Amino acid sequence: EKEVSWDDVDWGSWDDPDAAESAPAEEDGASQSTPWLQECAVSLSPCSDLMVLTRGQRAVFLSAKWRTADSGQEEMTLAVSWSGALSAEEGESVSSVICIPLASQKRSSTGRPDWTCIVVGFTSGYVRFYTESGVLLLAQLLNEDTVLQLKCRTYEIPRHPGVTEQHEELSILYPAALVTIDGFSLFQSLRACRNQVARAAAAGSDSVQPPPLAYKKWGLQDMDSIVDHSSVALCAFDQMKNASILGGFHATVKGSPPAMSQYITVGGGPYTGFYYAIEGSSQPLLSHVALAVASKLTSALFSAASGWLGWKNKHEEEPVQKQKPKVEPATPLAVRFGLPDSRRHGESICLSPCSTLAGVTDDFGRVTLLDVGRGVAIRMWKGYRDAQLGWVQVCESRGEAEAGGSPQFPRRHAQFLVIYAPRRGILEVWGTQHGPRVGAFTVGKHCRLLYPGYRLMGVNSVTSQGWQLPTQQVYLLDPASRAIRTITVPFHLALSDKKSERARDMHLQKRLNTLLRSRDIPPETLETEAKSILLDIKHPAIRKQALESLMSSKNASVSTLTVVTGALLDSLQEQEAEAVDEALLQLCTSQLSLLQLYTDIQTLNAQGAEQANPDSDTVEPGDGEMDSDLARLRPILQQYTELNSRPSVSFAQDPSGPLPVRSFLSQLECEGGVVRAVRGPDSDWTQLGSFLFWGCVCGESAPHRLCERLQAAGFSPQQLLSLCLSVWLSREREVLRTPQAESRLHSLLTALSNMTGVVEEEWDLQSVSPWWQQVRTACSQSESSGAALLAGLVGHRVAKSCINSLAKKKFEAECLSDSWEAVSLELEQWAVCLRQLEDTLALQTLLSLPSPRPPPGSTSTRVTVRALLEAGRGGVADSVAKWVFRQDLPPVLLREILQARGEGESLRQPPAEEEGGKEEGGEQKHQEGQEFQKAAGLLRSVCLRFPFSLSADLLSAQCCWEYVVQWNRDPEEGRFLSWSVEHLRMISNPHTQHGIAVMMWSTFIVKRFSAAAFLMEKVGKAPKDRLCRRDVGMGDGPLTSFLGSCTQVLQILMEADAGRDEVPPPALSVEEVWGGVEGPSSMLELALEQRSVHYPLVQHHALLAALLFAAMTFNIRPARPLGLFDSKGKNAFFKDLTSIQLLPSGDTDPGLVCLRQEWSALVLELAPPLQVNSDLLRRHLVCELYSQGLDRRAEEVMLEVEDREVLGSQLLVLTGQRLSYSLLHTQTRAGMELLARLPPVLCTWLKAMDPVELRCPSVPLSLTSRLVTRLIEMLPESHCQYSLALHLMEAVEALDTEP
């Protein structure tokens, strides 16, 4: 599609619109052949995505496609998507066609067409509906006559509240009848037919023919001939007005009158007819419904469409003769009134978008404008034979609405009538109702004016909320250029007088904005056009807006802006003083001065280094101190530079690029000779500062010349200092790589400090200078630690020189030596600031080390002096603890690093590096070892700089808290909690250890611990993985580790509580230079604030933790740990450890004691807390170890047994079981012979033994012989089984001596 600008056309004669009538008559028809396009029925979808051309029986569908033109630009074209024959009856041809886009019902595609239906009318009277691919959806015979016109009416958003909604409708005109189909039912039917055909095509079968459409058929009477029509929807007011007129003064009008439709027809006798049809006078006709249902036709597609779907040959004939459908009669409808003119015959009618006006063409070459509501002709144009009409409705823009009227009223609309006269080859646009011709275009004589007059079907008041219908109104199809042009009319052409002048200025402003958005426009053309438009605009406010748009354009060069602004300023100065707008004049003056400043700075930056000031880089006396400081800090600066010089992503708006002039102008304001930088919400001073000062940093510009020019322009020194520091601190990488950058910054700061108004000569040396305080504040707030430290060193050196020079001037009368140096409060502030910057640089270098577990969303943590001062006493320890976590540093290695601080000894590598496989290269292991030593060295150096903030206990406490926080985020990582417990164990002071353990337990552990206990009590065993994840938030494996860590935390808490009385609390100290720290309390302070725990309650929880840990480790069944405690014990669980709870007394229920013995058999340490006899458990353990065949381990435990006589009796039975297995179950020959020689009493006793109870019955006889010897030592001679033991010993010895 192409658009024609209002300035690129021949406007023709405005004074004599009929001047073209005197043109020579058309040539003889024999010498000029009629183009084929004039014989076609053409329809273009209002969405511009589909066009249909039909001629005779053939049709071509053209769909919108994007393609790349030869110039490289993307453009939309209409390409053939389907072509073929549409006729299905013999001898019929296409007489009318229309394309109706159907709105999508999907929420993601609201406001866009889903697909387009092509409705075709034939000379046989059939109306058929097709898809974009030519598939027939529905066909129906509505009248046995030629279809003259197909027109559609769709939903329009009401312009005013209370206006009746316009219902959708498809109207079909026959020579003597009019058929209307309701839009809603048509929309649903077409969707259903399309879905049915798609399913049939996918299945490869025929689909059932859908039932016919419901429609209304009116027989139009009292007219000799009808060639065109329009359907008008009447509102409630019009209907009540008509009812009042027809009924007289005393007529009763209903509050809700029946719906009525108005149809206007053109033709002959009368020339124009007005018909009114009231709803309810005729029922909808369902033609041939009974026949369609009874016959159950299986084919819904005719032979012409069957070939397109692919399951029938195109030459195959229809085997069954179709029965001609029955045609329902029409309901008579008489004409109410008309415009009688016996000689005039109407040819076409075109209804306006708001349905108030209509344009009618006739055979006399006239165009008549009708008032639809009154039924009268209000205007007539002559000299438009074979004219084609269209309408353009324009809505007033927001700016025009505010300028032309009150903004609370709705926006106005204007209607323009478009007339295309093909015989004259001219396209005209007229204002209605009595407006002048506002435009005329010279076009071809064989074009087609396409005016759909409708939009999307299927839209209603709900689905149309919040979006605009993406449709055009009028198109001009030009076959000569093979293009479709759209016609757009500005709203201000409908206005007049002052409103029109203001609207014209706004139109010029829009034209300028369009010009500025053009990419390929030459600079000379842009300059000429912009100057012409700005000088042509009359209103000062609009001219100011246009000038601001020009200044903010990225396509306008400096020269263009200078020329245009200068021309506008000259124009203003030529006017009288009273007529000049002061705001516009000041804007032009300020912008010109800023443009001149931009040009001067570009000139200064373009000078080479040889043209810069030769004295700008000289080293002033006394700079040796700064050189020594740089030499001292060079190693840490080099490490910092290496760690922060990794590649990163750069964007188009990189500060190193040139500053566009529009950005320069947008960030500066000039008023009253004073220039100040403005920081917008999205603007950054980095680019502006780079444009001003980066040339000085690189040695390409002289600092003193630049400062002189900037001060002459009106800049304040304070803003220049802020811009200078912003570019220095933001471009840290380039600063650290630029040689002699410090000396050039020294020269630049010196030049800025020498500007007028920086330091007053009356300044007291014992007060703080706001100028240097600004430098210290910028350095303290910067995240670029390296650049901030360098800026601090340079600023300190320049400030010291200024102070010394002022002091010498002040006390010049006194005799001062060359080594004299002023001492002031300012220098003390600098000393503290420099030490803080050095400490921050060391800490930032440590935090910049690459880690195996980087933080999400960032590369490394950035710290500043201000952030550390506001983070409280624990801010440094918190940063280092987060670094320890990211480095995945084990607690053991951290302890070695902390112990080796200040000693300079090397550390062993992590276990993963020591135990690395041999396949790993030695070079890689060596490199990893070097990286570890480097990290350890940096950590030691940071700890030396922060001896109090990074004390061993404070760092361990912070690491303990960091790991437990990370574990709480991901409970599946049981290692985090285990390492947190290890860090807790590393805390040496019991007070700190006690407080951290209490906070860990109450904040993170007790909730999951109670959930695990209740879950195990509920299921009665070690819970499965699914239950653990549901109730506790972790799997069964991490749950076991968690319970073990709980046991350790409670044990550490008990030990710390017991040792608090012997050790005093730690002192809260901070480094001297960091004495002004403020913020939240540190972990050490929070730990010391915790109340003392109730030791028996902690021991009570430790017992439960051990039981739970044992149940999960050994998978005990049944396992109900809470059932081992009475009601007092259960109520005391999961309470605050610092509270006093009622705990169980010494007397325990015997039933509980029996249950506890089963649990205590697993863990001997649980026996005393559970009040179970420990000796009983040890005897049971000895027997179990002998049963397992672990005789050596059993002998060790046997030494702790007190009741050895009972143990001897138990071991006698176990020995008998072993001997019974060797003699009776193995059944060797030697064993049988020995069994025959044994005493009868021993033989009977052995047969009674059951070796199945032994877990390991096959034990060497030497171990059994040793066992018999020990049990004889345990049994006294007076024991009843002593003789049996002797017989056993003899039998074992005899069996052992057998070969």
Side-chain angles (χ1 to χ4, degrees):
E1 299 181 4
K2 296 183 179 179
E3 292 192 5
V4 179
S5 174
W6 292 95
D7 303 306
D8 300 335
V9 299
D10 179 14
W11 289 77
S13 175
W14 284 58
D15 300 329
D16 188 8
D18 300 327
E21 288 296 319
S22 60
E26 292 82 359
E27 299 179 0
D28 187 75
S31 61
Q32 184 179 6
S33 60
T34 303
W36 63 270
L37 184 61
Q38 304 301 323
E39 301 178 359
C40 296
V42 184
S43 177
L44 179 65
S45 170
C47 297
S48 311
D49 57 352
L50 181 68
M51 185 171 68
V52 177
L53 291 88
T54 64
R55 185 182 185 187
Q57 300 178 353
R58 306 286 298 177
V60 176
F61 297 174
L62 297 96
S63 301
K65 293 183 180 179
W66 288 94
R67 72 176 182 89
T68 304
D70 298 336
S71 60
Q73 297 182 352
E74 295 288 333
E75 61 179 15
M76 191 184 74
T77 61
L78 291 174
V80 176
S81 59
W82 182 88
S83 62
L86 295 178
S87 61
E89 299 290 334
E90 183 178 357
E92 70 175 0
S93 61
V94 177
S95 58
S96 182
V97 65
I98 189 174
C99 301
I100 304 177
L102 275 68
S104 175
Q105 301 298 304
K106 301 178 181 178
R107 290 188 176 181
S108 59
S109 304
T110 302
R112 302 298 305 172
D114 186 13
W115 61 289
T116 303
C117 178
I118 296 95
V119 186
V120 184
F122 292 85
T123 56
S124 60
Y126 267 99
V127 177
R128 297 186 177 93
F129 301 84
Y130 298 90
T131 65
E132 305 101 320
S133 57
V135 178
L136 179 64
L137 298 177
L138 183 62
Q140 192 160 349
L141 181 63
L142 302 175
N143 194 42
E144 293 182 334
D145 211 338
T146 301
V147 176
L148 298 180
Q149 284 290 343
L150 293 171
K151 289 194 176 182
C152 182
R153 186 178 68 199
T154 56
Y155 174 80
E156 288 288 341
I157 300 177
R159 288 165 46 187
H160 306 284
V163 176
T164 307
E165 293 186 1
Q166 177 175 301
H167 297 286
E168 298 179 324
E169 183 183 72
L170 175 65
S171 59
I172 305 156
L173 179 65
Y174 292 92
L178 178 65
V179 176
T180 60
I181 302 176
D182 179 65
F184 178 77
S185 62
L186 177 63
F187 178 77
Q188 300 296 336
S189 300
L190 291 177
R191 288 187 60 208
C193 293
R194 184 169 179 260
N195 295 336
Q196 176 67 21
V197 170
R199 285 193 294 266
S205 60
D206 295 344
S207 59
V208 179
Q209 181 180 355
L213 296 171
Y215 61 92
K216 299 175 184 178
K217 187 175 180 180
W218 308 98
L220 304 179
Q221 299 179 348
D222 304 327
M223 279 193 69
D224 296 340
S225 63
I226 299 176
V227 295
D228 200 357
H229 79 289
S230 285
S231 176
V232 184
L234 296 179
C235 64
F237 175 78
D238 294 333
Q239 296 179 17
M240 288 188 289
K241 179 191 67 174
N242 295 333
S244 300
I245 293 175
L246 294 177
F249 180 78
H250 300 285
T252 302
V253 181
K254 296 181 180 179
S256 56
M260 181 186 300
S261 298
Q262 179 183 7
Y263 305 106
I264 306 176
T265 60
V266 295
Y271 157 64
T272 303
F274 291 80
Y275 294 86
Y276 292 85
I278 301 177
E279 294 291 337
S281 60
S282 174
Q283 297 295 328
L285 302 177
L286 296 176
S287 63
H288 213 49
V289 174
L291 180 61
V293 175
S295 60
K296 297 183 180 179
L297 298 177
T298 59
S299 175
L301 304 176
F302 297 102
S303 59
S306 301
W308 302 334
L309 293 178
W311 63 74
K312 185 187 296 185
N313 294 329
K314 64 180 181 179
H315 299 293
E316 184 178 351
E317 297 182 356
E318 188 70 29
V320 182
Q321 181 68 28
K322 295 193 296 289
Q323 184 178 358
K324 193 171 184 178
K326 179 182 177 183
V327 178
E328 298 293 340
T331 301
L333 185 63
V335 64
R336 177 170 296 182
F337 63 88
L339 299 180
D341 192 338
S342 59
R343 298 179 54 196
R344 190 184 306 272
H345 289 79
E347 294 181 346
S348 65
I349 182 172
C350 185
L351 189 67
S352 66
C354 61
S355 302
T356 58
L357 301 174
V360 180
T361 63
D362 55 43
D363 56 351
F364 284 175
R366 302 295 191 267
V367 176
T368 306
L369 184 64
L370 295 181
D371 186 334
V372 174
R374 295 185 297 164
V376 297
I378 59 178
R379 191 172 184 180
M380 182 177 290
W381 293 268
K382 65 178 180 177
Y384 295 93
R385 192 173 300 276
D386 300 331
Q388 302 173 24
L389 306 181
W391 288 90
V392 175
Q393 180 171 281
V394 185
C395 180
E396 184 180 23
S397 62
R398 288 296 181 189
E400 294 170 339
E402 295 175 1
S406 181
Q408 65 264 21
F409 291 103
R411 290 187 292 175
R412 297 172 293 179
H413 291 71
Q415 295 187 115
F416 298 91
L417 179 63
V418 181
I419 305 176
Y420 168 57
R423 300 202 178 190
R424 296 161 54 191
I426 188 172
L427 180 72
E428 297 179 350
V429 181
W430 291 82
T432 56
Q433 301 178 7
H434 301 284
R437 186 176 71 173
V438 298
F441 304 89
T442 301
V443 296
K445 294 185 178 182
H446 306 295
C447 302
R448 291 287 295 270
L449 188 67
L450 305 178
Y451 173 66
Y454 57 91
R455 299 179 186 267
L456 273 69
M457 179 173 284
V459 180
N460 51 43
S461 58
V462 177
T463 59
S464 64
Q465 295 293 329
W467 55 273
Q468 297 293 332
L469 297 175
T471 56
Q472 297 293 336
Q473 300 185 52
V474 180
Y475 306 88
L476 183 68
L477 176 60
D478 189 357
S481 61
R482 296 186 299 177
I484 298 178
R485 305 177 185 272
T486 61
I487 301 171
T488 305
V489 185
F491 178 81
H492 72 85
L493 295 179
L495 304 177
S496 60
D497 302 332
K498 295 182 179 180
K499 296 180 180 179
S500 177
E501 181 180 347
R502 186 179 183 87
R504 171 183 169 277
D505 287 348
M506 299 188 68
H507 176 67
L508 290 175
Q509 182 186 0
K510 291 182 180 179
R511 179 183 168 191
L512 177 62
N513 294 335
T514 305
L515 186 69
L516 294 176
R517 287 194 296 267
S518 301
R519 298 181 180 179
D520 303 330
I521 184 172
E524 298 81 7
T525 306
L526 177 62
E527 178 181 326
T528 305
E529 293 290 337
K531 182 170 64 174
S532 174
I533 293 175
L534 278 173
L535 295 178
D536 198 16
I537 295 177
K538 304 302 180 183
H539 285 71
I542 301 177
R543 181 180 286 182
K544 182 180 178 181
Q545 295 177 6
L547 181 59
E548 292 174 350
S549 301
L550 179 63
M551 293 298 175
S552 61
S553 173
K554 62 181 180 181
N555 296 329
S557 61
V558 183
S559 60
T560 300
L561 295 178
T562 305
V563 171
V564 174
T565 309
L568 183 57
L569 181 61
D570 295 339
S571 174
L572 293 175
Q573 292 176 350
E574 293 175 358
Q575 299 178 8
E576 297 181 0
E578 295 80 5
V580 176
D581 185 73
E582 291 296 333
L584 180 59
L585 181 62
Q586 184 180 356
L587 178 63
C588 294
T589 306
S590 61
Q591 295 300 312
L592 268 181
S593 62
L594 291 178
L595 290 172
Q596 185 61 40
L597 176 62
Y598 183 86
T599 306
D600 294 344
I601 295 176
Q602 274 189 328
T603 304
L604 289 175
N605 291 335
Q607 295 176 354
E610 66 278 358
Q611 297 182 2
N613 185 18
D615 299 331
S616 61
D617 295 338
T618 58
V619 180
E620 298 185 5
D623 282 352
E625 181 180 353
M626 189 175 70
D627 294 339
S628 62
D629 291 338
L630 288 175
R632 177 175 56 86
L633 297 173
R634 188 64 63 188
I636 188 68
L637 278 172
Q638 185 176 0
Q639 287 184 340
Y640 176 81
T641 305
E642 293 175 355
L643 293 174
N644 288 273
S645 60
R646 292 186 293 271
S648 62
V649 179
S650 61
F651 299 92
Q653 297 181 351
D654 191 73
S656 60
L659 179 68
V661 63
R662 65 188 182 102
S663 301
F664 180 81
L665 296 176
S666 64
Q667 298 184 36
L668 294 178
E669 285 185 356
C670 181
E671 184 177 358
V674 177
V675 178
R676 63 177 181 271
V678 180
R679 190 187 296 272
D682 299 328
S683 63
D684 186 12
W685 281 2
T686 304
Q687 276 193 313
L688 181 60
S690 300
F691 177 73
L692 296 178
F693 297 109
W694 188 247
C696 297
V697 176
C698 297
E700 299 177 355
S701 180
H704 73 285
R705 294 180 183 176
L706 178 65
C707 293
E708 291 175 358
R709 180 65 183 89
L710 293 176
Q711 190 169 23
F715 274 98
S716 66
Q718 288 74 18
Q719 274 208 335
L720 292 178
L721 180 61
S722 298
L723 291 171
C724 176
L725 293 176
S726 67
V727 63
W728 176 270
L729 297 174
S730 61
R731 303 182 66 172
E732 182 186 42
R733 293 186 180 182
E734 295 143 298
V735 165
L736 297 177
R737 291 197 299 263
T738 303
Q740 298 183 352
E742 303 86 1
S743 61
R744 291 165 183 160
L745 179 63
H746 186 280
S747 302
L748 184 56
L749 285 181
T750 303
L752 290 174
S753 302
N754 293 332
M755 294 176 66
T756 305
V758 173
V759 180
E760 299 179 358
E761 301 203 359
E762 297 81 12
W763 174 53
D764 186 8
L765 295 179
Q766 299 306 318
S767 62
V768 178
S769 172
W771 175 263
W772 299 116
Q773 183 61 36
Q774 182 180 354
V775 179
R776 290 192 294 270
T777 302
C779 295
S780 301
Q781 295 177 355
S782 175
E783 294 182 352
S784 305
S785 303
L789 179 58
L790 292 178
L793 290 173
V794 174
H796 173 247
R797 184 59 211 157
V798 177
K800 190 174 182 180
S801 301
C802 294
I803 292 173
N804 290 336
S805 62
L806 287 176
K808 288 180 181 180
K809 291 180 181 179
K810 195 171 185 179
F811 305 103
E812 59 183 0
E814 301 180 9
C815 297
L816 300 176
S817 61
D818 295 338
S819 60
W820 183 90
E821 187 176 284
V823 178
S824 66
L825 181 61
E826 183 68 38
L827 295 180
E828 293 296 327
Q829 295 281 342
W830 272 113
V832 174
C833 179
L834 287 179
R835 180 57 190 272
Q836 291 175 344
L837 290 173
E838 291 180 17
D839 295 346
T840 305
L841 177 64
L843 179 60
Q844 184 60 64
T845 306
L846 175 68
L847 300 180
S848 299
L849 286 172
S851 58
R853 190 187 292 115
S858 62
T859 55
S860 62
T861 304
R862 309 298 299 184
V863 294
T864 63
V865 174
R866 181 178 179 180
L868 293 179
L869 289 174
E870 296 177 352
R873 297 175 182 267
V876 179
D878 180 63
S879 300
V880 176
K882 287 181 169 58
W883 174 82
V884 170
F885 171 76
R886 293 196 303 269
Q887 293 292 330
D888 206 13
L889 191 64
V892 179
L893 293 180
L894 180 62
R895 180 191 305 169
E896 294 181 3
I897 295 175
L898 296 179
Q899 291 175 354
R901 74 165 77 183
E903 302 177 3
E905 60 183 20
S906 61
L907 301 174
R908 67 182 182 91
Q909 298 180 2
E913 296 180 356
E914 292 180 349
E915 300 176 1
K918 296 182 179 180
E919 65 276 1
E920 296 182 356
E923 182 178 355
Q924 181 180 0
K925 293 179 61 178
H926 178 68
Q927 181 180 0
E928 294 176 355
Q930 286 184 340
E931 292 178 357
F932 173 74
Q933 294 294 340
K934 179 180 178 181
L938 286 175
L939 180 57
R940 286 198 301 269
S941 66
V942 173
C943 290
L944 291 176
R945 287 185 171 273
F946 296 94
F948 301 111
S949 298
L950 290 180
S951 62
D953 279 4
L954 183 55
L955 183 57
S956 298
Q958 197 69 52
C959 290
C960 171
W961 191 257
E962 178 66 24
Y963 271 101
V964 74
V965 168
Q966 298 295 337
W967 168 82
N968 186 60
R969 295 176 181 174
D970 187 8
E972 294 291 334
E973 288 288 344
R975 179 170 60 94
F976 292 167
L977 184 59
S978 300
W979 282 14
S980 176
V981 175
E982 291 299 322
H983 284 292
L984 178 65
R985 200 186 306 275
M986 288 167 53
I987 301 176
S988 59
N989 191 283
H991 296 271
T992 307
Q993 198 177 44
H994 169 272
I996 297 297
V998 170
M999 290 191 297
M1000 285 177 58
W1001 177 264
S1002 60
T1003 307
F1004 301 108
I1005 297 179
V1006 65
K1007 185 177 180 180
R1008 298 183 188 273
F1009 180 73
S1010 61
F1014 289 132
L1015 176 62
M1016 195 174 298
E1017 186 73 16
K1018 178 181 179 181
V1019 300
K1021 60 179 179 179
K1024 298 298 182 181
D1025 186 82
R1026 181 182 61 83
L1027 296 177
C1028 293
R1029 294 183 185 276
R1030 185 193 66 183
D1031 291 4
V1032 191
M1034 64 185 78
D1036 53 353
L1039 179 59
T1040 305
S1041 175
F1042 164 69
L1043 294 174
S1045 299
C1046 292
T1047 306
Q1048 298 180 35
V1049 169
L1050 294 172
Q1051 188 65 34
I1052 294 174
L1053 183 57
M1054 289 189 293
E1055 296 174 359
D1057 183 67
R1060 294 178 65 192
D1061 298 335
E1062 303 175 359
V1063 180
L1068 301 176
S1069 304
V1070 70
E1071 294 76 14
E1072 183 178 359
V1073 295
W1074 296 96
V1077 63
E1078 297 177 354
S1081 302
S1082 63
M1083 292 302 302
L1084 183 59
E1085 296 171 331
L1086 294 176
L1088 296 180
E1089 293 175 359
Q1090 303 301 315
R1091 295 186 300 169
S1092 300
V1093 297
H1094 185 43
Y1095 188 90
L1097 183 60
V1098 178
Q1099 189 179 24
H1100 190 57
H1101 282 81
L1103 177 60
L1104 177 62
L1107 292 174
L1108 294 175
F1109 181 56
M1112 287 296 297
T1113 304
F1114 302 111
N1115 197 13
I1116 301 176
R1117 295 187 181 184
R1120 300 184 186 275
L1122 295 178
L1124 303 179
F1125 301 90
D1126 55 11
S1127 59
K1128 294 181 181 179
K1130 292 179 181 179
N1131 293 333
F1133 282 128
F1134 319 124
K1135 297 295 181 10
D1136 187 5
L1137 297 181
T1138 60
S1139 61
I1140 306 299
Q1141 300 293 330
L1142 186 61
L1143 297 175
S1145 59
D1147 299 333
T1148 307
D1149 185 24
L1152 289 178
V1153 174
C1154 296
L1155 292 175
R1156 292 176 178 181
Q1157 287 181 358
E1158 299 178 2
W1159 281 82
S1160 302
L1162 297 174
V1163 186
L1164 290 175
E1165 288 79 1
L1166 300 180
L1170 292 175
Q1171 301 177 4
V1172 177
N1173 189 354
S1174 301
D1175 194 65
L1176 177 64
L1177 298 179
R1178 291 190 182 95
R1179 293 198 304 268
H1180 176 72
L1181 178 60
V1182 170
C1183 295
E1184 288 294 327
L1185 291 174
Y1186 273 119
S1187 177
Q1188 293 283 354
L1190 304 175
D1191 291 24
R1192 300 295 183 185
R1193 182 70 181 93
E1195 291 175 2
E1196 296 176 1
V1197 181
M1198 190 187 302
L1199 299 177
E1200 301 178 5
V1201 176
E1202 297 178 359
D1203 194 346
R1204 302 175 66 84
E1205 183 177 350
V1206 177
L1207 178 60
S1209 300
Q1210 294 174 343
L1211 294 180
L1212 180 65
V1213 176
L1214 193 143
T1215 306
Q1217 291 173 348
R1218 285 187 177 183
L1219 191 60
S1220 173
Y1221 178 81
S1222 300
L1223 295 177
L1224 301 178
H1225 292 271
T1226 57
Q1227 294 184 357
T1228 61
R1229 182 174 180 178
M1232 292 298 101
E1233 294 178 355
L1234 178 61
L1235 186 61
R1237 296 197 302 268
L1238 291 178
V1241 177
L1242 180 59
C1243 184
T1244 303
W1245 184 76
L1246 288 177
K1247 290 181 180 180
M1249 295 294 102
D1250 187 7
V1252 179
E1253 299 178 1
L1254 296 175
R1255 299 182 184 273
C1256 182
S1258 179
V1259 181
L1261 287 176
S1262 59
L1263 296 179
T1264 305
S1265 176
R1266 184 182 178 89
L1267 175 60
V1268 173
T1269 303
R1270 289 190 173 276
L1271 70 89
I1272 289 178
E1273 294 175 356
M1274 295 179 186
L1275 294 177
E1277 294 182 358
S1278 60
H1279 197 273
C1280 61
Q1281 293 180 334
Y1282 186 79
S1283 60
L1284 184 61
L1286 293 177
H1287 290 310
L1288 271 177
M1289 185 177 64
E1290 294 176 357
V1292 171
E1293 291 178 353
L1295 187 61
D1296 191 18
T1297 56
E1298 290 293 333

